[in-house]
Amino acid sequence: MLMRFIDICVKNKIFENNSNRMIGVVVAVSGGADSLALMDLLQKSQRRFKLKLCVAHFEHGLRDIESIADAKFVKSLANERGLDCIIESGNVKFFAESNKLSIETAAREMRYEFLERVCKDLNFDFIALAHHADDQAETILMRLLRGAGSIGISAMKFKSGRLIRPLLNFKKAELEDYCRQQNIQPRIDSTNFKTDATRNKIRLELLPKLTEYNPTIVETLCRFGATSAEDADFIQNETLKIFNSAIRYSNANELELSKNVVKNQHIAIQRALIRMFIEKSIGSVKDFGYIHFESIRRVLIDNLKGVELPHKFRADLKKGWLSIKRR
């Protein structure tokens, strides 16, 4: 498995290094089998890729004694292996309530903020995440169920900015087998077996049911996500070529999108232009789905007045130019 791991890293240029300097990697370790396998494989690949590792663990404050024990376990294991380790705790429930987020979303946002901060403080290059093929399949299914388009449904990538995911070609069962073979004893997160979160329902109920129809459903979904990502990359590149000609800044310094430029494009480019315009205008397309992109497209194509959008935003069309403002 180690050689396969190294081959994947080389093939996908995860640790491309044209100098003799060490590459700093923050390894996100929860204590579960996936992240422990990642930590072990990275540590055994240190010399091959000239890696400097630091383990990072975020304690979400959601499982009381159990999650505190996870943090102590990760700290102890990192110390045994001679690895630096940074632990931080947070109040996810309070953050979720304050920002009107689900517990799952709040936990993810706080965890990623912590990892990014650690990486920046250490002046490291990458954050290694233990997402694997089953995670990929679950994510794609979740996005399908939410009505994402070809760009939104794209698979997670091996390398995306600071984030690296070297385990995407491994199934969860393989990682669990690896831990057993290496005599690594992972922690068990009891919340993974509760069906109160969408991802857990997909993992515990939907994917097993789909496996009855297609025993290789995980591989099928991963291939679908990968080809969608390739299609999305092409559309994005084509969209970038014309984006600057499709926008302008108003006298009030507000970004506006040209109705005429959008109308003259293929429908796939139209939607990509609208998505890019939203990202530039308000900074994110979070909670925007197909119905919102299509509603804005209809405003432009049919010369409608405007449309209401998530997070109290509204898109308005005036004199051939579309703008997005808070209501």
Side-chain angles (χ1 to χ4, degrees), residues 292-308:
H292 305 112
F293 299 129
E294 184 61 14
S295 296
I296 293 175
R297 196 179 74 84
R298 294 317 318 175
V299 168
L300 291 163
I301 300 303
D302 298 335
N303 202 34
L304 304 178
K305 185 177 179 181
V307 64
E308 303 293 328

Side-chain angles (χ1 to χ4, degrees), residues 144-201:
L144 272 171
L145 293 172
R146 289 175 177 170
S150 58
I151 294 176
I153 211 159
S154 300
M156 292 183 284
K157 297 179 180 179
F158 284 99
K159 198 172 182 178
S160 180
R162 286 179 187 257
L163 304 180
I164 57 173
R165 299 178 174 91
L167 300 181
L168 284 177
N169 279 2
F170 294 93
K171 295 185 73 173
K172 184 175 182 64
E174 293 180 277
L175 301 173
E176 291 172 339
D177 286 342
Y178 179 79
C179 285
R180 281 191 289 270
Q181 292 164 11
Q182 302 301 313
N183 198 28
I184 299 171
Q185 302 294 325
R187 297 280 297 174
I188 304 298
D189 184 346
S190 59
T191 61
N192 287 337
F193 302 98
K194 295 179 180 179
T195 55
D196 55 346
T198 302
R199 182 176 287 276
N200 283 6
K201 287 182 181 179

Side-chain angles (χ1 to χ4, degrees), residues 240-256:
L240 282 169
K241 293 177 184 178
I242 60 172
F243 184 70
N244 286 337
S245 65
I247 60 169
R248 74 175 187 183
Y249 282 93
S250 68
N251 292 334
N253 202 34
E254 294 172 344
L255 195 64
E256 297 179 329

Side-chain angles (χ1 to χ4, degrees), residues 203-242:
R203 179 190 305 123
L204 299 172
E205 299 175 354
L206 182 55
L207 264 177
K209 193 66 179 176
L210 291 175
T211 304
E212 296 177 14
Y213 296 91
N214 180 356
T216 60
I217 188 65
V218 169
E219 293 86 345
T220 300
L221 286 167
C222 288
R223 283 196 300 271
F224 172 63
T227 54
S228 295
E230 291 163 356
D231 294 345
D233 283 345
F234 175 78
I235 293 171
Q236 286 289 86
N237 288 335
E238 293 301 302
T239 303
L240 282 169
K241 293 177 184 178
I242 60 172

